Amino acid sequence: MNIDNNEITRTITQDKEKGFRLLMAKFSEPLYWHIRRLVVSHDDAQDVEQETFIKAYRSIDRLDNKDALTAWIYRIATRQALTLLEQNKKTTLMSEALGEQDAMADMTADSYVDFSDLEAVRLQKAILSLPRKQQLAFNLRYYDEMDYDQIAQVAETTATTARVNYHLAKEKIKRYMQQEL
Amino acid sequence: MEKNFDFKTVGKRMPYVMPEGFLTDMENRVMESLEAKTASRGKCRIYNLFRSMVAAAAVATLFIVCHSALQPRNMNVYSDLDQAFDNLSYDDQQLMIDAYDNDVFLSDTYNSNL
């Protein structure tokens, strides 16, 4: 849903619940996909997204920079997703070899995956084999079309690091996909 | 010949599927969860208030009991004897007075004649 961030922050100031509903209307879907790309499992993504919005509702009054609403909500979602992955003791993002096996295991176990699109499956395998920071930078740039400053705010790093991570990720994915061809 | 991979061939396609109605359910779930958490926080506040009141009442009771226990006992024996004498019947009181009068050690009549 195409709602202006300024309208959301203005509405929150006047009517918190109404503004929060606008926030959910705008970000539910993109956040879901962002989380899903990290955690793979639909059930995990559902839990993480729900927790994300609950945390957002509690802390929205403390949002300092109203202009950074997108980066703020994505940052909460990313933290929640990574916390879940840590809790599940997944090694997906930590090593290339093991990560791919775990990612495929998660994908195979999940009933909300369409394996008929082989190229899409291969691309996700490639992304999931990357180190965490590269995966994040790539997803946020490629799928969410964020600029490097926004990626830096979400990933809690610098714009330069975000740029480097994105390009490294892109090269690794290309090599991976070319091997599979 | 090695084929070069082009991101445009796959674009933003993903193999992940979102169940139908998920986003509407998500909004409802979040609002229900927030309402539940607010209600439980309210109940928690009432419970904590009740606990505080019970604790305050316990402290006050303890204070009263200790205060009473630490008060000095009334050593006025005579008032107890007067009360005991008053509780006797008239005949018994007269009997005690007569005995007092005839006692060689206690009676003023005998002592005044010495």
Side-chain angles (χ1 to χ4, degrees):
Chain A
M1 187 176 278
N2 192 16
I3 307 168
D4 186 46
N5 281 358
N6 290 328
E7 188 190 338
I8 294 172
T9 52
R10 203 168 38 244
T11 310
I12 285 167
T13 311
Q14 294 161 0
D15 184 336
K16 186 177 176 182
E17 189 176 314
K18 190 178 172 188
F20 180 69
R21 285 181 185 274
L22 284 180
L23 180 84
M24 278 203 288
K26 176 168 183 175
F27 289 106
S28 285
E29 189 167 1
L31 270 189
Y32 171 81
W33 292 120
H34 169 64
I35 294 164
R36 186 83 191 266
R37 283 188 285 269
L38 292 172
V39 304
V40 179
S41 154
H42 163 71
D43 290 337
D44 286 346
Q46 178 179 298
D47 291 341
V48 168
E49 188 169 29
Q50 187 169 330
E51 203 53 42
T52 296
F53 280 120
I54 289 169
K55 282 192 185 305
Y57 183 83
R58 288 197 189 135
S59 59
I60 201 156
D61 299 323
R62 298 196 298 272
L63 178 59
D64 292 330
N65 182 5
K66 300 278 192 266
D67 294 332
L69 189 68
T70 302
W72 172 77
I73 191 76
Y74 267 80
R75 186 164 60 245
I76 297 173
T78 304
R79 278 184 190 163
Q80 287 300 119
L82 297 180
T83 300
L84 181 103
L85 290 173
E86 286 296 318
Q87 285 169 357
N88 291 348
K89 293 182 182 176
K90 291 188 182 192
T91 58
T92 302
L93 304 175
M94 288 171 65
S95 79
E96 208 168 298
L98 287 173
E100 187 179 319
Q101 288 171 14
D102 280 350
M104 277 311 293
D106 287 342
M107 251 197 246
T108 310
D110 196 290
S111 54
Y112 294 106
V113 177
D114 178 13
F115 288 97
S116 62
D117 191 344
L118 296 175
E119 203 162 24
V121 171
R122 274 203 299 270
L123 178 58
Q124 289 309 305
K125 278 174 62 178
I127 294 168
L128 290 166
S129 69
L130 297 170
R132 178 180 303 167
K133 287 180 178 158
Q134 290 175 18
Q135 184 180 354
L136 258 176
F138 182 82
N139 282 344
L140 292 170
R141 180 85 176 147
Y142 187 77
Y143 290 103
D144 295 296
E145 296 179 13
M146 284 190 183
D147 60 41
Y148 294 116
D149 287 324
Q150 276 183 311
I151 295 170
Q153 287 174 49
V154 174
E156 298 179 89
T157 181
T158 64
T160 307
T161 305
R163 185 192 299 268
V164 168
N165 280 330
Y166 170 72
H167 285 289
L168 282 173
K170 201 173 164 190
E171 288 307 309
K172 284 183 184 176
I173 291 168
K174 271 167 101 173
R175 277 201 300 272
Y176 182 99
M177 296 300 279
Q178 276 161 199
Q179 285 169 9
E180 293 281 317
L181 290 174
Chain B
M1 192 170 68
E2 203 178 68
K3 233 176 152 182
N4 287 328
F5 170 70
D6 187 352
F7 282 97
K8 287 176 188 169
T9 59
V10 68
K12 293 189 179 181
R13 294 194 328 264
M14 289 181 289
Y16 306 124
V17 176
M18 184 200 292
E20 236 178 88
F22 171 76
L23 294 177
T24 311
D25 289 345
M26 168 58 62
E27 189 175 325
N28 294 335
R29 265 197 301 275
V30 169
M31 297 315 294
E32 280 168 20
S33 184
L34 286 169
E35 280 167 25
K37 283 180 196 293
T38 307
S40 74
R41 241 189 259 133
K43 279 185 193 164
C44 199
R45 270 198 283 266
I46 292 168
Y47 177 67
N48 284 340
L49 184 65
F50 176 72
R51 275 194 348 184
S52 304
M53 285 168 62
V54 167
V59 168
T61 306
L62 193 64
F63 176 76
I64 290 166
V65 166
C66 289
H67 188 261
S68 302
L70 290 172
Q71 283 294 320
R73 295 178 74 178
N74 191 353
M75 297 302 290
N76 190 352
V77 179
Y78 294 110
S79 66
D80 291 340
L81 283 175
D82 286 340
Q83 185 65 46
F85 188 79
D86 287 342
N87 289 342
L88 292 172
S89 65
Y90 177 77
D91 290 339
D92 287 339
Q93 286 177 359
Q94 280 303 121
L95 190 67
M96 288 208 65
I97 291 167
D98 291 342
Y100 174 78
D101 279 345
N102 292 327
D103 191 286
V104 296
F105 296 104
L106 296 175
S107 171
D108 289 335
T109 309
Y110 280 111
N111 288 332
S112 64
N113 291 334
L114 290 174

